[in-house]
Amino acid sequence: MARDLLLVVETPGSRPMAPAQRCPLCRQTFFCGRGHVYSRKHQRQLKEALERLLPRVEAARKAIRAAQVERYVPEHERCCWCLCCGCEVREHLSHGNLTVLHGGLVEHLASPEHKKATNKFWWENKAEVQMKEKFLVTPQDYTRFKKSMVKGLDSYEEKEDEVIKEMAAQIREVEQSRQEMVRSVLEPQAVPDPEEGSSAPRSWKGMNSQVASSSQQPSNLDLPPAPELDWMETGQSLTFIGHQDIPGVGNIHSGATPPWMIEDEYTSGNQQIGPSYEEFLKEKEKQKLKKLPPDRVGANFDHSSRTSAGWLPSFGRVWNNGRRWQSRHQFKNEAAAMKKQSHREKS
């Protein structure tokens, strides 16, 4: 009897529920077991993920035949996500100041760990078998990549040597041109023959003494006598044009007043410089009014206008020909004051 009570009645259509599983591609939890990998959504997500990784893999496979070596830049530290291994991989291979483009990805695709992870990924996600070979690099291809990398390094060194030679040639040209310029500046100039032009300086000496004796000095200035210059000592043929002092007019060397200290005839000592304080206040008030809106009430008001006693608005004086602050009560007060004033004048 107790044994019969422990029996579990099982209906023919009931099945135990599969444990919950997480799909990293679809980013959702499913309870259908292995049947999820055959669904359309999973296959679509798998295809899109492989297509995103495929361009970088193809670029790496092209680098196997012809490796490119460039100078290192910070952009070469870029990484890519390996879908099969589930980790980040450096796309380029850098060492020192040199970088082999796509070298890091080629090295990863040729590793046995990546091959093992790729086989597992293809089996678990039921991907297309034809695409599997595109994401793997055989040992033969990796050996070919090493050889092409050596050739790329050699060609890069040759290019660098050519660049260095060109720079050295340019430096030599600049240095040579600089030395030629220095030589041209420092070359001794041709010394004139002392026999040539000897007659001219002798005549200048006599002429100098005659001009110095005949020149009249101003009476009110005590100027030192002009010294007789020996033009033969200069060694160059010069022409003496005589003293250019104007009689009766001195200069700053003779004690005369400098021209910038002489007052002009049209200048006056009491002339005011700049605007007055009243003009400044008026201009300041104009600048304040310019900042106000031009279409405001009372902007075009004529302050010289006068309001007659017959005009009596009930809503205040807000027109352009009347003051804004004049209200009906103020108008009555003004009218009464005007009547009193006129009555006093008559009396």
Side-chain angles (χ1 to χ4, degrees):
M1 187 68 180
R3 185 178 180 181
D4 295 337
L5 293 175
L6 294 175
L7 293 176
V8 178
V9 180
E10 184 177 333
T11 58
S14 63
R15 290 183 180 179
M17 184 177 293
Q21 296 181 4
R22 175 75 178 175
C23 179
L25 291 176
C26 301
R27 297 180 181 180
Q28 69 176 10
T29 304
F30 58 92
F31 300 91
C32 56
R34 293 286 300 169
H36 171 73
V37 296
Y38 298 99
S39 63
R40 293 182 179 179
K41 181 179 181 181
H42 180 80
Q43 292 296 324
R44 184 175 66 253
Q45 295 290 341
L46 176 63
K47 185 177 180 180
E48 292 177 358
L50 292 176
E51 287 179 354
R52 286 195 297 268
L53 182 61
L54 187 59
R56 295 187 177 182
V57 175
E58 289 179 350
R61 296 184 70 87
K62 289 180 181 179
I64 294 175
R65 297 185 295 272
Q68 296 181 3
V69 181
E70 294 182 358
R71 186 177 293 276
Y72 171 79
V73 293
E75 296 179 358
H76 292 159
E77 296 291 338
R78 184 176 55 187
C79 298
C80 63
W81 180 261
C82 181
L83 191 63
C84 303
C85 301
C87 62
E88 284 189 345
V89 181
R90 289 189 61 179
E91 188 172 356
H92 307 292
L93 184 62
S94 301
H95 180 72
N97 60 344
L98 299 179
T99 300
V100 181
L101 299 182
H102 308 289
L105 187 56
V106 173
E107 186 177 3
H108 175 74
L109 296 177
S111 62
E113 293 82 5
H114 175 75
K115 184 177 181 180
K116 184 177 179 180
T118 303
N119 293 332
K120 182 180 178 181
F121 180 82
W122 246 256
W123 171 257
E124 291 180 351
N125 294 278
K126 303 302 178 184
E128 296 181 6
V129 182
Q130 293 80 5
M131 295 184 63
K132 183 178 179 180
E133 298 298 329
K134 296 181 180 180
F135 293 87
L136 294 175
V137 174
T138 61
Q140 294 80 8
D141 292 340
Y142 187 63
T143 305
R144 191 186 309 167
F145 171 72
K146 289 182 178 179
K147 294 179 181 180
S148 64
M149 184 171 58
V150 173
K151 293 180 181 179
L153 289 172
D154 295 339
S155 62
Y156 177 80
E157 291 178 356
E158 291 177 359
K159 291 180 181 178
E160 287 292 322
D161 293 340
E162 292 178 359
V163 172
I164 292 173
K165 290 179 181 178
E166 291 178 358
M167 293 176 63
Q170 292 178 359
I171 292 172
R172 283 194 294 269
E173 290 179 0
V174 173
E175 184 66 20
Q176 185 177 0
S177 62
R178 188 183 67 83
Q179 291 179 0
E180 290 177 357
M181 184 182 297
V182 172
R183 288 197 203 96
S184 63
V185 173
L186 298 179
E187 278 183 357
Q189 297 180 357
V191 180
D193 192 358
E195 296 181 358
E196 296 179 359
S198 59
S199 59
R202 292 175 183 173
S203 61
W204 294 340
K205 185 175 181 180
M207 186 185 300
N208 182 22
S209 60
Q210 293 177 4
V211 173
S213 60
S214 61
S215 60
Q216 298 178 359
Q217 300 294 336
S219 58
N220 57 346
L221 298 176
D222 296 334
L223 297 178
E228 295 184 0
L229 301 177
D230 190 1
W231 301 103
M232 290 295 293
E233 296 177 358
T234 59
Q236 297 180 359
S237 57
L238 301 176
T239 303
F240 179 72
I241 60 175
H243 296 283
Q244 301 298 315
D245 295 337
I246 302 175
V249 180
N251 52 31
I252 58 174
H253 301 288
S254 60
T257 304
W260 56 85
M261 298 294 293
I262 301 174
E263 295 184 0
D264 297 334
E265 298 178 357
Y266 56 87
T267 57
S268 59
N270 299 328
Q271 185 178 3
Q272 185 178 1
I273 300 175
S276 61
Y277 184 69
E278 291 77 9
E279 294 177 355
F280 169 73
L281 294 179
K282 290 181 181 179
E283 184 65 24
K284 188 176 180 181
E285 191 67 23
K286 289 181 181 179
Q287 295 297 331
K288 286 184 179 180
L289 294 176
K290 286 182 179 180
K291 296 180 181 179
L292 298 176
D295 298 334
R296 68 186 186 279
V297 176
N300 301 324
F301 170 68
D302 185 10
H303 291 271
S304 61
S305 63
R306 296 182 61 85
T307 306
S308 62
W311 187 74
L312 190 62
S314 60
F315 50 85
R317 303 174 183 181
V318 295
W319 304 107
N320 288 335
N321 58 354
R323 288 173 176 79
R324 188 177 182 183
W325 49 267
Q326 289 176 340
S327 63
R328 184 174 183 178
H329 181 68
Q330 291 174 345
F331 184 83
K332 289 181 178 180
N333 293 338
E334 291 175 1
M338 291 178 64
K339 287 181 180 179
K340 289 181 181 180
Q341 186 177 1
S342 61
H343 182 68
R344 289 176 183 176
E345 291 177 355
K346 290 180 180 179
S347 61

